[in-house]
Each structure stands twice: as C-alpha cells, then as structure tokens.
Amino acid sequence: MLEPMMGRTVSPVFVGRQAELAALNEAFAQACDGTAATVLLGGEAGVGKTRLTASFAEHVTRDGAHVLLGGCVELSTEGLAYAPFTAAIRQLVRECGAGKVAALLPEGGARDLARLLPEFGEPSGDHDGETARARLFEQILNLLERLAEHRPVVLVIEDIHWADRSSRDLIAFLSRNLRAAPVLMVLTYRSDELHRQHPLRPVLAELGRVEGVLRLDLPRLTQDEVAAQMTGILGTTPEFAQVGKVFERSEGIPLFVEALLECGGECSFPDSLHDLIIGSVEQLPDETQRVLRIAAAGGNRVGHALLAAVSGLSDTDLEDALRPAVAANVLQVADGRAYAFRHALIREAVHDELLPGEHMRLHARFAEEISRDRTMVPPGRAAVEIAHHWYSARDDKWALISAWEAAGKAAKSFAYNEEMQLLERVLMLWGKVPDAAELIDADHTTVLEQASAAANACGELDRGTKFVKAALAELDEKTEPARVAELVVRLSQFKISKRRPGALDDLRYAERLVPGPDLHRAAVLVRLGSYLMFSGEVAEGTALTEEALGIAREHGDERLEADLLLNLALGHSIAGRINETIAINMTAKAIGERVGSARVILRSIANTVDTLNDIGRSAEAVELALEGERLARKYGRYRTQGTFIANNRAEALEALGRFDEAARVAEQGLAMDPSLRTRHHLRRIRADVALAHGETDLVTSVLNEVGAFSTQEEFTQELTVNIRLRAGLHLLHGEPLAALEVAEEAVRAALITSKPMLGWRTLALLAGICEIAETVAPERAAALRPQVEGAAAALTVDSPVAEAYRFSVNRDHDAAAAVWKRLDRPYLRAKSLLQAARAAAGAGDREDAAVRLRAAHPVAAALGTPPLTTEIESLARRLGVTLDREPVTGTALPAADAPTAPLTPREQEVLRLVAQGRSNREIAAELFISAKTVSVHVSNILAKLGVATRGEAAAAAHRLALIG
C-alpha cells in the first residue's frame, strides 16, 4: 500500500534531464551569439516536458533572458486560433503596458495586434485576409526582434500538437525568418499523440530541414531518477522496495509517479488505461468477475480463508471461480494460501467497477470477518485493516471505533503520522455518532489532545497548533487548570518550533495555572526552565528545574525526572561545567532506557554529542551521532529528533575540519524537511562551512533566511551564532570596521556564555577582530579589548576547547595552536598559527612569523579553505617569506616530557635568559626586541611546557635539557 508514502505531489527537486538541459542551454547560447534557434521538445504525456521547460526558463531568466510563455488549447480538433501567441503578447502587455509594446512596432503595427488583443485598440481596416495575416506574422516577427535588441528572448509554446492551423503556420514562419536575432523558441508536443494523419507531422518534418532547429526527445525516467523524484516529493528517502513498486507501476513517467504518490491505493486512472484493464477482465466468466470484485475490495493480496468467508463460497467453489483469473494472469497464487493481483493497477481498476451499494457491503463483510478472526490477515495489520474496511463501508459508528483503536496501535509502533491521520478521522466522524465518547471511552477534547501530541511527534506543527487551539476552546481553566496548562505548554512548543512570538508568555501563564507542588506543576517547569536557560536566564531556569526535579522524585516519575536532568545538564553546559553535563546526560539516558522513552534516549544522545564536541572529543561525537540517528529511524523520530542529532554531527565534523562531510550531512538533514528551528540550525552549520570555503553568497543567503539581519532571536544560542556568522562574513568581505561594529553589538548585548563552542568561540572571534581592527580603528579596538577580556574573565574553563579559545583571547596563539593540534582540529590550528605569525610580524620577528606560516600553509591548503590559504600567502609575501621550506622544529625532546609544541629558536633563546632570572626588559635589551614581544614569547613558552610560572619554566628547561 502507498499511504505511508504520501507527501508533496510535485517534487521540489528537479530530477535528471541533464542532457536535455545541456542541449537547451547550448541552443540558448547559440541564440545569445546572434543566431536564432528553435528546439522541438517531444515526449509522451506526463513525461515532464513542462517541468523541463519551466526549469530551463527559470535558469535563463536568472541569466537575463526575457521569457514569454504561451500554450495551445485543446478546444476542438483544431484548437483556438493564435492561442499561444495571444498568451505570450498578453504577458508582455502585463509586464510593459500596451503603449510600450506598441512603440516597438512600426507605425500602425499595433492595430494588427489588435486582432489578438483589444488592448491595442481598433483593428486595421484591411479586410483582405491573406494580406492581414501576412502583416500580422510580420508584426509578431518585428516585435520579437525589437524585444531582443534589449536582451535575449525565449519564447516557450507548449502543446503544439493542439495548435490550430494559423498557429502552426506562424510557428513555421518565425522558425524560418528569425535569423540574426537573439531569440530562442522552445516548442513542446506529445509524441504519442502524433498519429500518421496528425496535422503537426508535416510541420515538424518541414522544421526539421530548417537550419538552427533542434529536435529533442524526452525519455522516461530511470529507476534511480524515479527514486530521486520520490525523495523530493516525500521529503524522505523511500525504501528500495517502494521505489521499485512505483517505478514498475509508473513505467518511469513522472506524472504517473506523482499521481501514484498523491492517490495512494485509492486513486482512479485515466479512462484509456482503465478500459484496457477492464476489457481483459470482462472476458472472464461472470462468477469469476464477481469473485474478483470481492477480492479487489480486500486489497492487493487476500488470503484464501478470508476470501472464502467474505464470498460465502466453499473452498472448492472458490477455487473453481478463481481458476480462470489465474489462467488469464489477472490473479496469481501467492505464498501463504493467498491470492494477489498481478498488477496493483488491475486491482484498483476492478475495484472502481464496484457499484456504491456493492462497495459498502463488501467492505463491511471484510471488516466483520477480520474482526471475528484477526488471524486471517498478517500479524499487526488487523486493526488498520478493520478501520479501513469500516470507513470504506461508510459505517460511521464502527469506522470511528476502529479508527480510535488503530490510532492506538499506530502510536505503539511509532507511526505518529498514521496515528494523527486516524485521529483526524475520529474527529471527522464525531458529529455523526451521537454516543461517540461512550463508545471509545474518551471525550472530544481527549482526541484533540492526542492528535496534537501525534502531530508534534511527526513534525506537523501547523496541524498540531490547530488541534491545541480547538482543545483549549473546549476547556475552562477554572475547572481544569492542569489540563489547560498542559495544552498551553504544547502550544508554546509549537510556537518555538515555528519561531513565532509568545512562547515565554504561554509558559509563565501555564506556570501560574498550577501553583501546587504536584506533577502538573513539574511538567510545566520542565519546559519553562529549559526555555529560560536557552534564553540566557540560567539561574532562574536552574532554580525552577531543581524545584521540579524534587517534585518528580517525590512522586517517582522517572520520565519527568529524566527530562529535568537533561535540563539541568543544559544549564551546566551553558555555564561551562562540561564534565557534570556528560554525567547527568548519561544518567538521564539510563532512565530513558529503563522506562522505554525514545524521546529521552534521543535527547540525551543529542545533548551528549554536543557536549563531546564542546570538550574536544569530536570524533567520538560523530560516532555517537551516527548511533543516535540509527535509533531515531528505528523509533520513527528521524524528522523531529534525528535531524537534530544530524545537525550536531555536522557541527562536530565542521570542528574537525571535515567540511565537505559536514555540508553533506547538513544538506541531507535539510532534505528531510525538519522543523523550522532545526532547519535553521542546519543552515547555520552550512554557513560555517561556507565561511571556511569563502562562499559569501551562501552565507548571506543563510543569514537572510534565519532572519539574522532583521529578526531578534529569543534564544542566546541562535543569537550568538548569528552574530558570529555576520562578523565572519564581514571579515571575509574585507570589512574590519563592519566586523568591529558587530563585535561591539555582541558585547553590549551581553550574549556570552561559558559554553566552549558558543561563548568561548565567539569571544575568540571578537578578540581576533580587535587585533585586526587595531590598524584601522585603534581607539575603538582598544575600548573593546578590555570588554572582551572582562567577559572572558567571567567564564569558566572546564575543557581543552575552552582552554584553547582562552589562549586565543589572551593572544597566546601558539599555545592555542598546540591545543588545537592535540584535539585534531586542523583548521583552528592553522588559524591560530596565522594569528601567531601576525603577532610575530608585528613585533618585528620575521623568523618566528615564517616558522608559523610554513606550519599553517600546508594545513590550510589540504583542507581546501581558500580564504585562510590566501591570508597565509598574503602575509608571507608581505614579509618576503617563502612557504616551501621546512619549519624549524627546535631541540628534540623525549616523547613523555616534550612540550605540546616544539620551541622555536627564538623561544629557546628567551627561555635561556628566563632561566638566568632575567626580566622581560633585560631580555628585550639583550635580544634587540621589544619587551612586549618578550612577553608574548614567555606566554608561549609557559603554554608549551605546561607550566604556570617562570620558575617552573626554568626548572623544566634544565630537566629537559632545552638550554645549553
């Protein structure tokens, strides 16, 4: 059955047709070069001619072409005169106005066009048909040529197999006479409609002999292309078996693929196909046809016992009735004592032949027999089969009861979309069944509540919102405050996912509805607490979460306890207490596994993936994310939670410098049509990759989509990332002052948290902007610098990632590079080495700058990051440094005691003097460098040796024999 595959009926993805698009583009290029061209695009009905021409038209429009569209009309055997040209000129009039169009024509020419459009006034007085017709042709030719003087023109005329004689003649005239103008005509027709006597055939033959005319045949899709089309329509990758089934039924015709996915198992078919199928069935004996109609009501495959029970025939009589159908290959004997129609379309066509009364009676009989003995259908299918048959039988009472039961079964199988659809059926039938609430032991509001929960689980946010609002309209907060509070909380979650305002107000309203220390209050606090934490109000959010956690534990509600623990872990993560975050996540996951909560398990995994990336264990994060995504598919939660885990995987890949993989994961997640908030997360990580690759247009597109230039985000994470991307884009554009302005905005907004990959990462960027801006806006940079350092002083450092970023903030770039190397984050290492090189160059230490540039350059080049590579090469050129020499490695050290990065020769000299007890000023005088440069070297030495004081550095120098 195809119901589970229903989705979009037209694929948002243009599938295949690369060769045909290339041919069209080549013809367009020929036209742009001043040689008019015509393409005759033929193909079967439904094969995708319109989609191809639309895609092509969109492409050439972006390239500056003026595209005019017209289509022929099947009004009679000859069609409507000049219909395609009338449509094209009417489009032009809408775009430019009749006056401007008339100005393109010779004097009086507009009066000839008045025969097609009244906007051009009274027609000319010439009543000589042949002369007037010729003049009309000339005016249209002139119009196209004059239009093409401004920009290339593409005239698309569809369905010329329906064209009237005049239109066919005008098409031939234009093809012969449009010679030296940048005009391309694209003419489509149905090749399967062209019988031997069709009037278009001689026209095509004539045009085929005209120079500049290309004849292009559009083939059917391959199976792989059908799979791609289905993926685009459904928003998810279909199973291989489902692809094969649809490909077989559609035979590679895109329109049939769309129709099959749109209609599922209940669609009708074109009369010609229907008649063909029924014609073969009608040749069978009457009793065989009767039993086939019964079998068709049962589905594509019907067990022998069930068919015998519904038909009332004995085994022998049933076999005798079916034998002719089997012999005619209409029906086939399947395994398990069952019968299957040879082709699904046969079954559907036979089913369409049922009379209304017969249709209802047969479906009712199937429902009764399956209800009596559920073993007559495959395991797990009885509930949904019964619901289907009672609904088809138009028995409202039993259709409602069975749909309610089937919805419950679907929920247990994680089939939330199917659950929601069945609950919608219950709601639809409710008003037709007077005692509905008693029959299913649930009131109307309960059904709405469950439907909203199912919609939330399967990502149908708009439908879920409607269910919640309908339920709230039926409740009184004074008599049922807890029930109202629960729905208001759910409404807030829909608003958050859709980025609509009012979520916090909803949550605070819900909290006021449940003041008592009970589970109802705890359920509200779990949401309110997390919202506040995400909004940067960590202290209040943590306090409310701890209150709720006490309530949950007192009542023994482990599921709620797990959710609250995950919220507490969130607070620890934002505060930078990473090790506690992991421990709490694991505790929550264990509870989720114990109580069987897929949502808790997946949420714990998603959070742990994020935390592992925060502490530098990014490779582990990637592996855990893959496991989480596998579980999300198993639980039927990939679109809602699996895509979020995929986003965290992409973030870990980006941190590791595996940019192409990160981009691919993000795009795959986006193809799943996730919730809006998750989509924006995925788009932002895609923008991070684009920054590294120098794809400024893509970054700008993402920032526009997420509202970074216009929308005030409610959550700190989103707002911080938006600021980071905006600043990064300005730097990529070479706009340090604009980047500085964004940095000042970030500090004013006090957005910085201790989360390593959020707050510390942003602070490091802001500090880097200060360094870059020192040469263009020294006063502003100097004013911003202490604010950045003050923000850094307030943050915690509880991971190597935070430590590396702190080194960057403190301008200890060599130490940062050493940490990034240890964490296998090559891109960040190369960036830190570049910053260290800049610092060395600024201090006049060309040798130290060269060492760092030579270390950074091959890393950046290997990663395929043009902006960073260019920066390194540019600095090297300014310093007169070659990048093809090996960097100086310093003295070799035992592996166990070696510094995190080798000491440069200059650092060894500084360390020797430090060990002698010299001050920075004394060292500067002896080495002929500035005291500030000495300070930088000392900081690098301390970091590389893993010590905190100059005395410890001196001791390490003697112990490791680093100085003579």
Side-chain angles (χ1 to χ4, degrees):
M1 301 292 285
L2 291 175
E3 286 85 342
M5 297 173 61
M6 289 178 66
R8 306 180 188 88
T9 57
V10 178
S11 172
V13 179
F14 184 67
V15 175
R17 311 310 194 196
Q18 296 307 308
E20 292 77 16
L21 270 177
L24 287 168
N25 286 325
E26 184 176 351
F28 177 65
Q30 173 186 324
C32 290
D33 288 339
T35 303
T38 300
V39 175
L40 303 172
L41 179 62
E44 298 171 85
V47 82
K49 299 182 294 297
T50 298
R51 186 68 186 272
L52 173 61
T53 54
S55 178
F56 170 69
E58 181 181 355
H59 170 72
V60 295
T61 298
R62 289 196 301 267
D63 287 347
H66 193 163
V67 178
L68 300 175
L69 304 173
C72 301
V73 181
E74 189 183 16
L75 187 62
S76 64
T77 55
E78 282 295 304
L80 182 65
Y82 298 115
F85 296 97
T86 301
I89 297 172
R90 182 173 288 116
Q91 173 193 334
L92 190 59
V93 169
R94 286 197 304 268
E95 294 173 351
C96 307
K100 290 186 177 180
V101 175
L104 296 172
L105 298 169
E107 184 177 353
R111 296 183 64 189
D112 291 318
L113 292 186
R115 297 186 179 277
L116 303 182
L117 273 79
E119 289 88 339
F120 293 106
E122 289 293 324
S124 64
D126 187 350
H127 297 291
D128 184 338
E130 193 61 33
T131 304
R133 181 175 182 267
R135 192 167 57 248
L136 174 63
F137 283 19
E138 287 288 340
Q139 301 299 3
I140 293 176
L141 175 64
N142 288 332
L143 179 60
L144 292 174
E145 288 176 337
R146 289 293 308 278
L147 278 174
E149 291 175 1
H150 303 282
R151 52 176 170 155
V153 173
V154 176
L155 174 61
V156 178
I157 300 179
E158 295 192 84
D159 300 321
I160 62 171
H161 54 278
W162 286 330
D164 60 287
R165 170 69 183 269
S166 297
S167 293
R168 294 196 302 269
D169 289 347
L170 179 52
I171 288 170
F173 172 84
L174 293 174
S175 298
R176 290 192 301 266
N177 290 279
L178 278 168
R179 289 295 186 187
V183 177
L184 170 65
M185 289 201 302
V186 180
L187 315 171
T188 74
Y189 63 94
R190 291 185 184 175
S191 55
D192 53 332
E193 293 272 352
L194 301 186
H195 53 79
R196 293 185 63 182
Q197 301 301 318
H198 196 286
L200 184 62
R201 290 180 72 95
V203 177
L204 294 177
E206 177 187 352
L207 294 178
R209 294 188 290 270
V210 175
E211 184 179 354
V213 173
L214 170 67
R215 192 159 181 172
L216 195 61
D217 293 318
L218 195 59
R220 298 178 179 184
L221 297 179
T222 65
Q223 182 163 335
D224 287 344
E225 290 168 341
V226 167
Q229 183 189 6
M230 292 171 65
T231 299
I233 292 172
L234 300 170
T236 183
T237 302
E239 295 180 359
F240 180 79
Q242 294 170 325
V243 172
K245 187 173 183 180
V246 171
F247 177 72
E248 179 183 359
R249 296 172 71 188
S250 67
E251 297 183 332
I253 296 178
L255 182 63
F256 289 175
V257 174
E258 292 170 2
L260 288 168
L261 295 183
E262 179 182 14
C263 301
E266 299 179 1
C267 63
S268 299
F269 304 97
D271 288 342
S272 58
L273 177 59
H274 178 90
D275 292 344
L276 177 63
I277 294 172
I278 290 302
S280 62
V281 172
E282 287 177 343
Q283 297 177 23
L284 299 172
D286 290 343
E287 179 64 3
T288 300
Q289 292 185 49
R290 185 184 77 83
V291 176
L292 283 175
R293 290 196 295 273
I294 297 172
N300 289 330
R301 177 189 175 108
V302 184
H304 177 91
L306 178 58
L307 187 56
V310 173
S311 66
L313 297 175
S314 66
D315 289 346
T316 301
D317 290 341
L318 179 60
E319 290 165 357
D320 289 341
L322 292 178
R323 189 166 282 109
V326 173
N329 204 24
V330 172
L331 209 63
Q332 296 176 338
V333 178
D335 295 336
R337 288 178 56 79
Y339 305 102
F341 284 89
R342 177 178 59 84
H343 200 293
L345 297 182
I346 298 176
R347 202 280 309 174
E348 294 172 13
V350 172
H351 187 261
D352 285 347
E353 289 292 295
L354 293 175
L355 298 174
E358 185 181 23
H359 180 280
M360 291 187 290
R361 286 194 304 273
L362 288 177
H363 281 287
R365 287 289 298 127
F366 273 104
E368 291 167 349
E369 292 300 332
I370 297 171
S371 298
R372 183 180 59 81
D373 183 359
R374 297 193 173 206
T375 64
M376 288 196 293
V377 295
R381 290 189 53 178
V384 71
E385 289 267 6
I386 293 169
H388 162 71
H389 286 300
W390 279 127
Y391 185 66
S392 298
R394 305 295 186 264
D395 188 312
D396 295 336
K397 172 184 174 181
W398 286 106
L400 182 143
I401 295 171
S402 58
W404 176 255
E405 180 196 356
K409 297 286 187 182
K412 291 179 180 178
S413 302
F414 310 118
Y416 300 112
N417 192 69
E418 288 70 25
E419 177 195 9
M420 181 188 66
Q421 292 173 347
L422 287 162
L423 292 172
E424 285 180 314
R425 182 183 297 175
V426 173
L427 293 168
M428 181 189 65
L429 294 169
W430 194 273
K432 301 179 181 180
V433 182
D435 53 348
E438 289 75 18
L439 289 171
I440 65 171
D441 194 26
D443 62 15
H444 189 260
T445 307
T446 298
V447 181
L448 286 168
E449 289 169 328
Q450 292 197 20
S452 71
N456 186 39
C458 66
E460 292 288 347
L461 305 180
D462 289 334
R463 291 159 84 177
T465 299
K466 292 177 182 177
F467 292 138
V468 169
K469 290 181 176 179
L472 286 172
E474 297 179 0
L475 295 174
D476 184 346
E477 68 176 63
K478 295 180 180 179
T479 58
E480 296 183 279
R483 200 172 179 185
V484 171
E486 181 180 355
L487 285 167
V488 170
V489 168
R490 187 169 296 150
L491 181 61
S492 74
Q493 302 311 296
F494 288 134
K495 288 180 178 179
I496 292 169
S497 296
K498 295 287 288 183
R499 296 183 75 215
R500 292 174 180 167
L504 182 58
D505 291 339
D506 286 341
L507 290 169
R508 292 200 183 279
Y509 167 51
E511 187 262 339
R512 292 193 298 270
L513 288 172
V514 284
D518 55 20
L519 288 174
H520 296 300
R521 178 172 178 79
V524 173
L525 295 183
V526 71
R527 296 294 187 181
L528 178 56
S530 67
Y531 187 95
L532 290 168
M533 290 176 185
F534 276 123
S535 301
E537 303 294 335
V538 178
E540 182 185 2
T542 299
L544 292 174
T545 301
E546 289 175 341
E547 176 191 348
L549 186 59
I551 296 172
R553 285 171 173 165
E554 181 180 348
H555 288 78
D557 190 331
E558 288 191 298
R559 290 175 185 264
L560 184 56
E561 178 186 357
D563 271 326
L564 290 161
L565 285 171
L566 289 169
N567 286 2
L568 274 184
L570 169 65
H572 286 308
S573 174
I574 294 173
R577 297 185 290 272
I578 305 302
N579 292 325
E580 291 152 277
T581 301
I582 292 179
I584 295 174
N585 279 337
M586 291 299 98
T587 300
K589 182 171 181 285
I591 295 174
E593 290 170 342
R594 184 165 63 249
V595 300
S597 173
R599 183 179 56 78
V600 168
I601 293 170
L602 295 174
R603 186 180 170 207
S604 171
I605 290 174
N607 290 354
T608 302
V609 170
D610 180 65
T611 305
L612 288 172
N613 193 40
D614 267 333
I615 62 176
R617 292 159 59 182
S618 301
E620 291 179 56
V622 171
E623 293 305 313
L624 180 60
L626 289 169
E627 173 62 14
E629 291 174 64
R630 184 190 66 79
L631 288 174
R633 290 187 178 91
K634 173 184 174 182
Y635 297 142
R637 287 177 169 266
Y638 195 86
R639 184 184 173 198
T640 52
Q641 290 186 271
T643 52
F644 187 75
I645 296 173
N647 171 78
N648 288 353
R649 175 159 67 104
E651 290 180 349
L653 289 167
E654 187 267 343
L656 291 168
R658 293 156 62 177
F659 296 124
D660 291 342
E661 289 180 71
R664 185 164 56 252
V665 171
E667 294 296 344
Q668 289 170 348
L670 290 166
M672 295 297 298
D673 192 22
S675 69
L676 185 62
R677 191 174 179 209
T678 299
R679 173 180 173 79
H680 286 175
H681 285 320
L682 289 162
R683 289 288 282 160
R684 288 186 180 99
I685 190 61
R686 185 65 186 87
D688 276 320
V689 174
L691 279 177
H693 284 161
E695 301 168 303
T696 56
D697 289 347
L698 178 54
V699 179
T700 302
S701 171
V702 170
L703 289 173
N704 282 322
E705 178 180 338
V706 303
F709 298 120
S710 58
T711 303
Q712 183 66 30
E713 280 284 356
E714 295 182 82
F715 291 155
T716 301
Q717 176 174 335
E718 283 82 348
L719 190 52
T720 302
V721 176
N722 286 351
I723 283 180
R724 191 184 76 235
L725 291 173
R726 286 169 54 200
L729 181 61
H730 287 309
L731 292 177
L732 204 56
H733 279 306
E735 302 167 344
L737 290 178
L740 183 61
E741 185 176 340
V742 174
E744 292 166 340
E745 173 190 335
V747 171
R748 285 195 303 270
L751 301 171
I752 311 303
T753 71
S754 291
K755 184 174 169 59
M757 291 297 291
L758 190 62
W760 275 112
R761 182 178 185 179
T762 301
L763 275 181
L765 174 64
L766 301 186
I769 291 171
C770 288
E771 294 181 32
I772 294 171
E774 284 174 349
T775 59
V776 292
E779 293 182 0
R780 288 172 61 187
L784 180 61
R785 181 78 203 186
Q787 297 179 63
V788 173
E789 292 173 345
L795 302 187
T796 59
V797 179
D798 197 22
S799 75
V801 173
E803 179 186 37
Y805 281 127
R806 183 183 64 176
F807 282 139
S808 294
V809 171
N810 294 335
R811 303 193 183 195
D812 198 348
H813 301 300
D814 283 319
V819 177
W820 294 134
K821 182 178 182 181
R822 189 169 72 246
L823 296 178
D824 192 24
R825 296 194 176 185
Y827 181 69
L828 294 173
R829 174 175 175 252
K831 290 190 73 172
S832 292
L833 288 169
L834 172 61
Q835 290 175 297
R838 285 198 187 110
D845 197 334
R846 178 174 173 274
E847 179 185 348
D848 277 7
V851 169
R852 287 153 181 78
L853 291 174
R854 290 177 187 136
H857 186 260
V859 176
L863 290 171
T865 50
L868 180 56
T869 305
T870 300
E871 283 190 82
I872 294 168
E873 293 171 349
S874 176
L875 180 56
R877 283 193 298 272
R878 292 200 303 272
L879 295 175
V881 170
T882 58
L883 295 173
D884 56 355
R885 287 169 47 195
E886 290 295 324
V888 179
T889 59
T891 305
L893 300 172
D897 294 323
T900 57
L903 298 180
T904 66
R906 176 66 79 182
E907 287 170 350
Q908 292 182 49
E909 291 178 338
V910 172
L911 179 58
R912 177 177 57 81
L913 296 173
V914 167
Q916 294 175 6
R918 304 283 189 92
S919 68
N920 284 359
R921 189 177 299 278
E922 292 170 334
I923 296 171
E926 178 158 340
L927 298 180
F928 302 99
I929 59 178
S930 69
K932 182 178 179 181
T933 301
V934 173
S935 177
V936 172
H937 284 311
V938 171
S939 296
N940 293 343
I941 291 166
L942 297 180
K944 292 181 178 182
L945 296 179
V947 298
T949 67
R950 295 165 76 97
E952 291 176 354
H958 289 295
R959 184 178 71 252
L960 300 173
L962 297 176
I963 55 178

